[in-house]
Structures are given as C-alpha cells and as structure tokens.
Amino acid sequence: MSLPALFVVGAGTEIGKTYTTAALSRRLRAQGRRVRALKPLASGVPPLDHPDFAESDTGRLLAAQGLAVTPETVAACSPWRFAAPLAPDLAAAREGRSLTLTELVDWCRARLAEADAGETVVIEGVGGLMSPITEAATGLDWLKSQKIPALLVSGSYLGAISHALTAVETLRAHDVLLTGIVVSESPEAPTSVETVAGQIARHAGVPVGCLTRGGAFPEDLPVLG
C-alpha cells in the first residue's frame, strides 16, 4: 500500500529535488498507481509560451505525469510561479506580490483532501529545508504545517554528507517522519554518488538510495510501502 502523501525536501538548493520528484512520479505510474506531483512554489519559471518552459521544474513534473502543458495543468501544479531564480519571498517582492504560509498550507491541504484512496500526492518543496519562503516562514515551517512524511534529497558534492545529516537531525528534532534519503548525483563531484550515499547511510538511520541525473528512482528505497 502506498503512502497517501509525501513531501520532498532538500538538504540544499539546486541538488535534484525535481529530478527526484519526477523519477518518483514515473515509478508510481509504472506500478499502475495514480500520482499527483505538485510544486506549489516555483522560482525561475519562464512564461508558458517560452521555449524553455519544458525544462522548468513545473514543466518537468508535468511531463513525468504525462500531462500536457496548458494554463490549467500549470496552475494546478504550480499556482505560485515567479520569474526570478530567487527564494520565493524575494522573487515575489520583485513582482509586487506576496504570499503567506497560511495560504500555501491551505492550498496544499485542499489538494490532499481532493485525493482519493488510490492516489499518492507528492509535494515538492523549494530550495533547502531552511530556505525562506515568506517574510516570516521557512521551508521547515511549511513541511511541519503539512503534517505528512518527508523524503530528503541530498547532493553528492563535497560537503553533502554533513548537510544531509544536519537536515536529518533537524527533521528529527521537529518530529517530522523521515521515510528515506535520495542522494542525487551532483555534476563534477569529487567522489561517486554511491560513496556519498554509503557515508550518509552509516549515520542517518533511514533507507538511502542513489539517483543519477535523468535516472530511475532507486529500486532499493522502500519509502512507498
């Protein structure tokens, strides 16, 4: 039986959360499960008619779900989209917009309530675990407010082991259920993704799997039940 919902959170920014969420979505669909992958906050997103939209986080998640890019599907996946590749609070300010944690959490809760027993909802966070998302709230505040299990994504760059284990300890200190860790391959990392994953696994106390860019979701990561 699959988890009804999962929150994909990063130990840092630009480390492969969207690759992981897309790979997980493809895995679920290949298993005959229905999945709704959401990226409620998305920065650095070009207009829908821009040729690079397909390479945006929202575009990648829609493709992983087999959905066409339309105004409706984009809004259903990423209702808060910003052009600047900055933290959402800064990107929103540049556009004269604002966002509250309550608005964000309520929107996600409504999507969770819409899902039936056979659908898994995967919510992808933004930036790292402690990245600001509003003037007063961080990604951790968002995650805690959703009250659903987390899947942590780490990179394999130099320093990733410490960053991942710090994130693990932070999640535990705030009583967030951590189902597993995906170590996403970082470009030009000095050691292999498998080596980094092994080091993290020694201390994390949860299942750890490896993901190459564009690769399949780790088969040996039993985060889905």
Side-chain angles (χ1 to χ4, degrees):
M1 190 165 108
S2 65
L3 289 170
L6 194 65
F7 197 111
V8 178
V9 62
T13 190
E14 296 294 328
I15 57 174
K17 290 189 307 299
T18 300
Y19 285 105
T20 299
T21 306
L24 175 56
S25 299
R26 289 190 291 267
R27 170 61 54 80
L28 287 168
R29 294 180 64 216
Q31 293 175 342
R33 306 181 188 185
R34 289 184 294 111
V35 60
R36 188 187 307 200
L38 307 173
K39 175 86 175 182
L41 289 179
S43 298
V45 181
L48 272 64
D49 57 357
H50 194 282
D52 290 337
F53 184 85
E55 301 304 312
S56 69
D57 290 349
T58 304
R60 291 181 188 277
L61 292 189
L62 292 177
Q65 297 172 83
L67 298 175
V69 173
T70 68
E72 293 75 21
T73 59
V74 171
C77 179
S78 302
W80 290 279
R81 305 182 306 280
F82 307 107
L86 302 170
D89 59 330
L90 296 178
R94 282 199 177 187
E95 299 178 17
R97 301 163 63 189
S98 63
L99 169 68
T100 67
L101 179 62
T102 299
E103 289 176 303
L104 177 61
V105 171
D106 287 351
W107 185 88
C108 292
R109 285 178 178 166
R111 305 293 81 74
L112 293 168
E114 291 171 357
D116 59 37
E119 185 176 29
T120 297
V121 178
V122 183
I123 300 174
E124 181 189 336
V126 62
L129 178 61
M130 297 301 297
S131 293
I133 57 171
T134 72
E135 286 190 6
T138 66
L140 178 62
D141 296 317
W142 176 16
L143 170 57
K144 289 168 58 180
S145 297
Q146 298 299 168
K147 302 184 186 303
I148 59 176
L151 173 67
L152 178 65
V153 180
S154 167
S156 63
Y157 56 86
L158 185 64
I161 297 168
S162 178
H163 293 167
L165 295 177
T166 299
V168 168
E169 290 302 312
T170 301
L171 292 170
R172 284 180 178 153
H174 288 269
D175 297 319
V176 175
L177 175 61
L178 179 61
T179 62
I181 301 171
V182 171
V183 181
S184 178
E185 184 177 31
S186 300
E188 301 180 3
T191 56
S192 71
V193 63
E194 292 83 7
T195 298
V196 174
Q199 291 290 95
I200 292 173
R202 287 175 53 199
H203 304 278
V206 296
V208 180
C210 301
L211 177 69
T212 57
R213 290 297 173 105
F217 191 81
E219 292 187 7
D220 57 349
L221 192 59
V223 297
L224 303 177

